[in-house]
Amino acid sequence: MEKFLKKINQDIENLRVVQYEEHELKSDCQFLSLKEGFYQLNNGEVIRRESVVSGNGNAVCIFAVTKDKKILVVIQPRVTLPTKEKVNIELPAGYVEEGENTVQAGMRELEEETGYASDNVILMDSYYTSLGASGERIDLLLALDCVEVGKQHLDKDEFVLYEVVTLEEFKLLLDSNYIMDVNARLGYYCYLNHLMKEGCS
């Protein structure tokens, strides 16, 4: 195993970016900024790449489970979906705003989108979904024992419905391609892993 990791580290060193220049491309985008960069690699080659930055580059996604073990999902338009309806079923999520940590952002988004809250929150994973185009990091939270504390309070251009579903119904939504979002899929498997560790079924 040590030999394998040494080889991997050597591969990384061979392609390491040693110098780069980035600048923002002019755009009228509301939520995204576009960047262009020229990157010199350790092998002497220079590559040109474009990237998209969402918000401040950090987002949070919440796998929210109520006290009676049901799961909160949100339903909203997603214009990039390759479906006729362009509506996806997913987990509550949003950007981490300035001055917030991941848990604060997650609980704010959960309450805004569903009216539910939790004080039992676990960081399950952190990952990047599309490094070919974006450096956005997503923190995946597990919020347990969620309770309804109020009503949705959405931004004026947000159109979000929510449903409370059983674990079996969530799996049906996955298997039937109603859920096409990687965050929800990963959240489901992380939650199953949590249940196994807790000795639940």
Side-chain angles (χ1 to χ4, degrees):
M1 196 61 74
E2 186 177 337
K3 184 177 179 182
F4 167 72
L5 290 178
K6 185 176 180 181
K7 175 66 168 66
I8 293 296
N9 284 325
Q10 184 59 56
D11 290 340
I12 291 170
E13 181 62 24
N14 288 341
L15 296 177
R16 182 169 62 90
V17 174
V18 294
Q19 187 175 350
Y20 65 92
E21 175 187 326
E22 289 180 328
H23 62 272
E24 195 164 322
L25 297 172
K26 187 173 181 180
S27 167
D28 293 329
C29 291
Q30 183 178 358
F31 297 109
L32 305 173
S33 60
L34 308 177
K35 286 188 176 181
E36 177 185 49
F38 296 87
Y39 309 89
Q40 182 180 344
L41 307 181
N42 210 21
N43 63 7
E45 298 291 335
V46 176
I47 58 175
R48 174 184 175 273
R49 293 291 185 268
E50 292 136 3
S51 63
V52 177
V53 180
S54 307
N56 67 1
N58 295 325
V60 62
C61 188
I62 310 99
F63 196 94
V65 183
T66 64
K67 281 184 176 290
D68 59 352
K69 307 300 183 194
K70 293 185 178 175
I71 301 155
L72 290 158
V73 297
V74 294
I75 305 167
Q76 59 185 316
R78 290 298 191 195
V79 296
T80 57
L81 264 179
T83 63
K84 180 181 177 182
E85 298 81 10
K86 296 193 178 299
V87 173
N88 193 40
I89 301 173
E90 54 198 65
L91 302 180
Y95 297 124
V96 180
E97 295 181 355
E98 188 174 346
E100 288 183 320
N101 62 39
T102 293
V103 172
Q104 290 169 335
M107 293 307 93
R108 174 182 52 75
E109 290 289 349
L110 178 64
E111 190 171 340
E112 286 175 4
E113 294 186 2
T114 68
Y116 280 74
S118 169
D119 57 7
N120 184 3
V121 183
I122 303 164
L123 175 64
M124 291 198 289
D125 207 346
S126 293
Y127 50 90
Y128 301 84
T129 58
S130 185
L131 283 173
S134 171
E136 179 182 75
R137 190 194 77 218
I138 296 179
D139 290 335
L140 177 61
L141 302 177
L142 173 61
L144 298 168
D145 304 320
C146 293
V147 293
E148 191 172 8
V149 295
K151 303 289 185 183
Q152 280 183 313
H153 45 101
L154 304 169
D155 293 337
K156 64 179 182 179
D157 60 348
E158 276 188 303
F159 302 94
V160 180
L161 302 175
Y162 75 89
E163 294 287 347
V164 184
V165 303
T166 65
L167 186 61
E168 182 181 19
E169 289 167 340
F170 192 96
K171 179 66 162 55
L172 175 63
L173 292 173
L174 278 176
D175 291 345
S176 304
N177 288 327
Y178 283 96
I179 295 177
M180 301 179 71
D181 178 72
V182 67
N183 299 310
R185 190 170 295 275
L186 181 58
Y188 171 75
Y189 290 117
C190 285
Y191 180 55
L192 291 184
N193 188 51
H194 170 80
L195 291 178
M196 284 192 292
K197 286 181 178 177
E198 295 294 309
C200 304
S201 57

